[in-house]
Amino acid sequence: MKVYIEHEDREVSAKAGSVKELLGKLKINPVTVVVVKNNEMVTEEEKLGPKDDVKILSVISGG
Amino acid sequence: MACNSCKTKPVFTLVSGKKLCKNCFIRYFQKKVRKNVRQYGLIEKKDRIAVALSGGKDSTVVLEMLNQLRSDCPYFELFAILIDEGIKGYRHVTVRAARSYCRKNNIDLHIYSFREHFGFTLDQMIKKLKLGPCTVCGALRRYLLNKAARELKATKIVTGHNCDDEAQSVVMNLFRNNNSSSARLGVVTGVKKDKRFIPRIKPLYFMLEKEIMAYAYTKGLLDKFVECRYAGEAYRSEVRDMLNTFEERHPGTKNAILASFLDTLPLLKKKYGTSEEIAYCKACQEPAAKEVCKACTLLKQLNGQKSAKSI
């Protein structure tokens, strides 16, 4: 699936069964992000599929 | 897996492990912020509230919350102040977002700039002064915000400070044995009674940064992500990362830090005399902790002998 990491302004391809697994693979602390799947915010337990559009939004202020 | 309140699809997990759907999360968030406002008596009848708006998520969310509160209980006035420090590639984006939000919601926005009031943008100051940008920006922002709020006859200044910000400050002060700075923290700061010093209140004090981000997303308040080029004060970033690691392993750590801190805050205030009268800067007559305020000290370095008042 395609994953857009907003605060790094980059897109990566990843394979993961759930949000939790995806964040683990990307070494991102779940406390520091909100994950959006197909324009809807989701929890760490959310299942992910190859056609999903995933965005990772950093919760840390930019200034 | 379902929302613990209404059994629909959850979108957010609270620190307690409770899962909430979008509507229940929005209700949880609003209820918790309103409880903080009520419990600490943050807003009183006839208050004229100035929200320190940056255009970022925290200040936009706090403005949205207070605007809702004003719609439900119109017993106070509300407007926003934005301090434009002059940071290339950053501030103009957030100014645009702030203007757009205020226009849509019929909120008066007053913009005060470093260049207009101090004669230099922050970018120019950093080139001249051999000091960290956050040190310069912090002192001058506080100075200008207080002055602007007073000119606009605000009775209180609202900031978007949240649980993460405060927990970081508490830990930083602890690690640096800086208890006198901690005495100035809390849900309400600037509690010294003085007509020149506008008290600051923090309605989002108990909200986690992640909750604020989630609320901003669900309410469609997020603009394009943009980062201040000076962001990432080294020491604060280290403490923030450490606390986030702890929070992941031990959910509730940040809340516990605040609860413990608030327990000791009355003792700190007593010891460090924050209830005594405010002193005034000899150069500009603005409220100050020392004989000459930090803003005048910095501006003297920039301008030779000029004080903040003479610019």
Side-chain angles (χ1 to χ4, degrees):
Chain A
M1 89 200 72
K2 285 180 183 173
V3 180
Y4 177 62
I5 306 171
E6 193 197 35
H7 57 285
E8 293 174 7
D9 193 21
R10 70 183 175 109
E11 192 173 85
V12 296
S13 290
K15 279 183 184 174
S18 69
V19 169
K20 191 174 186 172
E21 193 186 330
L22 174 67
L23 295 178
K25 280 188 176 176
L26 296 172
K27 295 187 168 41
I28 294 174
N29 181 343
V31 167
T32 65
V33 293
V34 161
V35 178
V36 173
K37 181 181 106 173
N38 305 328
N39 294 319
E40 199 177 300
M41 193 166 69
V42 290
T43 63
E44 279 182 66
E45 291 75 21
E46 182 75 10
K47 302 287 179 211
L48 298 175
K51 289 184 180 173
D52 285 327
D53 175 28
V54 177
K55 276 184 199 159
I56 297 177
L57 312 177
S58 169
V59 308
I60 294 162
S61 299
Chain B
M1 189 181 67
C3 169
N4 286 87
S5 296
C6 72
K7 307 300 173 197
T8 56
K9 190 185 173 192
V11 299
F12 196 86
T13 308
L14 302 180
V15 164
S16 63
K18 193 174 175 182
K19 296 186 189 308
L20 297 175
C21 69
K22 183 178 169 181
N23 289 337
C24 290
F25 172 73
I26 290 172
R27 268 198 297 278
Y28 152 83
F29 190 96
Q30 293 175 343
K31 197 175 164 186
K32 195 168 170 182
V33 176
R34 286 184 181 215
K35 186 184 170 192
N36 184 28
V37 170
R38 202 172 48 244
Q39 193 172 333
Y40 285 86
L42 298 186
I43 299 176
E44 296 156 300
K45 276 184 185 169
K46 295 186 180 173
D47 258 340
R48 201 169 138 74
I49 302 290
V51 174
L53 182 65
S54 71
K57 71 174 193 315
D58 300 315
S59 62
T60 306
V61 165
V62 80
L63 181 57
E64 164 95 357
M65 289 298 304
L66 294 192
N67 199 32
Q68 275 174 19
L69 189 62
R70 184 182 59 161
S71 302
D72 296 344
C73 325
Y75 60 85
F76 63 95
E77 291 177 64
L78 183 69
F79 62 95
I81 298 173
L82 188 148
I83 306 294
D84 178 358
E85 312 89 347
I87 302 171
K88 203 176 174 187
Y90 169 68
R91 187 48 80 198
H92 73 281
V93 179
T94 61
V95 167
R96 201 167 52 218
R99 277 188 202 278
S100 164
Y101 179 84
C102 289
R103 200 167 37 238
K104 274 185 207 159
N105 292 281
N106 203 21
I107 295 167
D108 286 339
L109 172 66
H110 304 268
I111 299 179
Y112 284 68
S113 76
F114 275 18
R115 188 180 177 86
E116 192 184 329
H117 287 82
F118 302 129
F120 298 94
T121 64
L122 182 67
D123 289 340
Q124 291 168 331
M125 290 177 186
I126 300 310
K127 283 180 189 163
K128 285 191 153 205
L129 297 170
K130 286 174 185 169
L131 289 167
C134 298
T135 306
V136 178
C137 185
L140 296 181
R141 275 179 66 84
R142 277 192 296 276
Y143 175 94
L144 191 52
L145 185 59
N146 187 65
K147 199 173 171 190
R150 205 177 59 230
E151 277 177 12
L152 297 164
K153 301 192 187 325
T155 53
K156 284 167 190 155
I157 296 171
V158 166
T159 66
H161 285 99
N162 57 49
C163 177
D164 291 60
D165 299 325
E166 190 83 348
Q168 288 158 20
S169 297
V170 168
V171 171
M172 284 164 70
N173 289 337
L174 185 70
F175 283 6
R176 289 168 159 169
N177 187 23
N178 196 356
N179 285 337
S180 59
S181 288
S182 282
R184 293 196 290 270
L185 298 175
V187 185
V188 180
T189 55
V191 288
K192 295 176 184 178
K193 298 285 179 196
D194 189 285
K195 62 182 179 182
R196 286 189 222 180
F197 196 87
I198 313 298
R200 293 169 190 221
I201 57 174
K202 303 171 186 170
L204 302 183
Y205 192 83
F206 296 102
M207 308 314 292
L208 289 166
E209 197 152 33
K210 180 161 177 161
E211 293 175 325
I212 297 169
M213 182 63 169
Y215 186 80
Y217 182 79
T218 54
K219 297 290 278 184
L221 298 174
L222 291 178
D223 207 65
K224 185 186 166 199
F225 178 85
V226 56
E227 190 167 40
C228 171
R229 71 158 100 159
Y230 305 121
E233 183 195 344
Y235 197 71
R236 181 174 286 274
S237 297
E238 275 185 58
V239 170
R240 181 192 67 204
D241 292 346
M242 179 190 73
L243 290 181
N244 282 336
T245 303
F246 264 80
E247 185 72 31
E248 186 195 6
R249 293 179 190 166
H250 312 284
T253 295
K254 294 172 194 170
N255 288 328
I257 290 170
L258 288 206
S260 167
F261 170 67
L262 288 175
D263 218 22
T264 58
L265 187 56
L267 297 174
L268 289 173
K269 283 193 185 294
K270 196 174 173 187
K271 177 165 182 183
Y272 294 98
T274 50
S275 58
E276 289 171 12
E277 282 186 12
I278 288 174
Y280 298 111
C281 169
K282 281 190 172 173
C284 71
Q285 284 78 52
E286 287 292 316
K290 296 179 181 172
E291 270 195 5
V292 177
C293 74
K294 203 165 178 183
C296 282
T297 308
L298 289 169
L299 292 168
K300 196 175 172 185
Q301 288 176 48
L302 280 166
N303 296 294
Q305 295 305 309
K306 287 181 185 175
S307 71
K309 193 184 179 183
S310 63
I311 293 169

